[in-house]
Amino acid sequence: MTDYQTIKVERRDRVAIVTLNRPEALNALNLTVMQETVAATTELDRDPSVGAIVITGSAKAFAAGADIKEMAPKSYMDVYLDDWFAAWDRLAQLRTPTIAAVSGYALGGGCELAMICDILIASDTAKFGQPEIKLGVIPGIGGSQRLTRAVGKAKAMDLCLTGRNMDAAEAERAGLVSRVVAADQLLDTAIEVAQTVAGMSLPIAMMAKEAVGRAFETTLAEGIRFERRLFHSTFATDDQKEGMAAFVEKRPATFTHR
Ligand code: CO8
């Protein structure tokens, strides 16, 4: 597996774990972290033996945001011409299900990275926020859009305008995270969830992900039409035959991901 400077990539059967690893900067997302995370997840996404990808950080910080020291001297032309942060959009294009396991700070770009993932699991120490306004900027990796879709206008405005943090309990109540667990259980829980997802048929999991994702992009009628067409197409897979046969025969399904 490729050697990276700012992330670690491990495999556990059909699950890949990408760990942000810049402890000296609380995993601040600099150019190298972005390039390495995008390169690693793109490679994992192409590998059919990977059924789910967990993205995590340290106990203290999932990621404390974009790297402020790297950003501070940039001019408008620097960030415009480089289309600064656009590469993170690649993560939203991954077809393999992704799970963010968040402990400690998930601020600014850290919160945005977690929100790009399909399932967001938090430890009871997690703190989410979009504090960019305190730096004289606004969210730049989708925070104003994804947070609003996840938690609604009231909390999104509150967080983006005051820059305050939301703790794990508030994040769960608001619907930003699907589960909160004790800090020492976080990675095991995320891997367990990832193993459950990875045990399903990969093409069917991709379709489920695509269908849910569509809800954020389209009208209800079009979304339902899209879902129905995908549902029909599941009947073209071996795994639909296997999944239903296994139910009828009262045995566990063995999916071949075809
Ligand atoms: N960038 C760079 N370095 C950071 C960052 C960061 N986001 N966060 C922490 N660090 C560094 C600190 O500078 C410090 O380094 P050093 O030891 O060399 O001084 C080290 O990490 C440890 O941090 P602290 O000493 O501050 O640790 P504390 O436990 O005291 O505080 C906090 C932790 C509260 C998380 C604090 O570090 C903090 O407030 N960090 C910044 C959080 C933030 O504002 N994040 C948002 C950044 S902006 C963004 O993500 C999107 C911008 C979109 C712009 C779009 C432009 C195109």
Side-chain angles (χ1 to χ4, degrees):
M1 216 169 262
T2 320
D3 259 349
Y4 296 104
Q5 286 172 45
T6 60
I7 61 170
K8 283 194 253 175
V9 181
E10 296 160 73
R11 282 290 299 273
R12 298 230 189 133
D13 304 320
R14 290 182 53 77
V15 171
I17 305 152
V18 176
T19 306
L20 305 178
N21 187 30
R22 272 193 87 204
E24 71 286 0
L26 300 183
N27 292 333
L29 306 170
N30 66 6
L31 192 61
T32 311
V33 178
M34 179 173 74
Q35 287 167 342
E36 291 189 343
T37 307
V38 170
T41 52
T42 302
E43 191 183 326
L44 293 167
D45 197 40
R46 283 198 208 106
D47 181 347
S49 73
V50 175
I53 302 169
V54 173
I55 300 183
T56 194
S58 68
K60 182 164 181 193
F62 177 74
D67 191 309
I68 301 168
K69 293 168 190 165
E70 184 183 63
M71 257 184 318
K74 300 261 177 216
S75 69
Y76 168 74
M77 269 307 143
D78 293 333
V79 294
Y80 180 78
L81 289 176
D82 284 351
D83 205 1
W84 201 245
F85 293 146
W88 284 114
D89 296 344
R90 280 282 308 125
L91 255 70
Q93 311 301 326
L94 299 176
R95 301 178 76 207
T96 311
T98 51
I99 294 161
V102 175
S103 186
Y105 296 109
L107 304 180
C111 186
E112 293 169 305
L113 170 57
M115 290 192 294
I116 289 174
C117 295
D118 302 315
I119 298 179
L120 210 168
I121 301 177
S123 86
D124 50 13
T125 64
K127 290 174 202 65
F128 298 90
Q130 298 292 160
E132 289 88 344
I133 197 160
K134 296 200 264 182
L135 301 166
V137 290
I138 68 166
I141 316 174
S144 64
Q145 305 304 299
R146 288 200 177 89
L147 186 64
T148 309
R149 282 166 167 78
V151 305
K153 175 185 166 184
K155 282 212 191 280
M157 282 288 189
D158 183 349
L159 265 67
C160 290
L161 289 175
T162 68
R164 80 172 173 89
N165 295 345
M166 187 157 70
D167 66 17
E170 186 180 357
E172 189 180 27
R173 279 198 306 278
L176 181 64
V177 310
S178 62
R179 310 181 191 199
V180 177
V181 297
D184 60 359
Q185 299 293 310
L186 177 69
L187 194 58
D188 285 348
T189 306
I191 292 172
E192 212 176 289
V193 171
Q195 273 164 347
T196 302
V197 174
M200 306 299 172
S201 161
L202 179 60
I204 302 297
M206 286 172 166
M207 288 186 204
K209 167 173 172 156
E210 206 180 347
V212 174
R214 193 70 169 207
F216 296 99
E217 307 286 350
T218 191
T219 62
L220 181 60
E222 280 308 315
I224 288 172
R225 194 197 311 272
F226 181 79
E227 178 198 78
R228 185 84 19 88
R229 292 292 172 254
L230 277 183
F231 168 74
H232 292 156
S233 69
T234 61
F235 286 75
T237 64
D238 295 344
D239 286 339
Q240 174 267 331
K241 302 284 172 279
E242 166 61 11
M244 292 193 180
F247 175 82
V248 173
E249 291 160 19
K250 299 186 189 299
R251 59 171 175 83
T254 306
F255 293 121
T256 53
H257 312 291
R258 307 297 298 180

